[in-house]
Amino acid sequence: MTSIIKKSEGVLPWTVDSLDIVPAERGIYVIRNLPTQNGIVYIDYTENLQEELKQQWETKQIPDAVWFDWYQVGTKAYGEETLKTWIEKYSPKYNLG
């Protein structure tokens, strides 16, 4: 199974400029209200990281968004399995409701 291919260089500020450097590739993104592990409020998998994150920015679906990071993955199966594992591990509040 393919693992993480590329990831953001740390936790990035939730700004339009930061979203412009996200690749238009499949992967997992993590939205945070703090730049720490306990600040994770939402995690999701998408086929297009840049498009999905820009849509999240425009619709403001995650009101606590202040920081984010992303992880490009090689396969959909790996992305979905990793998403499930991370949701169980971190219990982000917007994934639980």
Side-chain angles (χ1 to χ4, degrees), residues 52-67:
E52 179 70 20
L53 284 164
K54 285 186 175 186
Q55 182 178 11
Q56 289 282 357
W57 169 266
E58 291 170 5
T59 61
K60 300 188 184 350
Q61 292 179 8
I62 309 298
D64 295 356
V66 180
W67 303 92

Side-chain angles (χ1 to χ4, degrees), residues 14-26:
W14 185 243
T15 65
V16 174
D17 291 340
S18 293
L19 296 175
D20 284 340
I21 62 172
V22 176
E25 301 289 341
R26 82 169 53 95

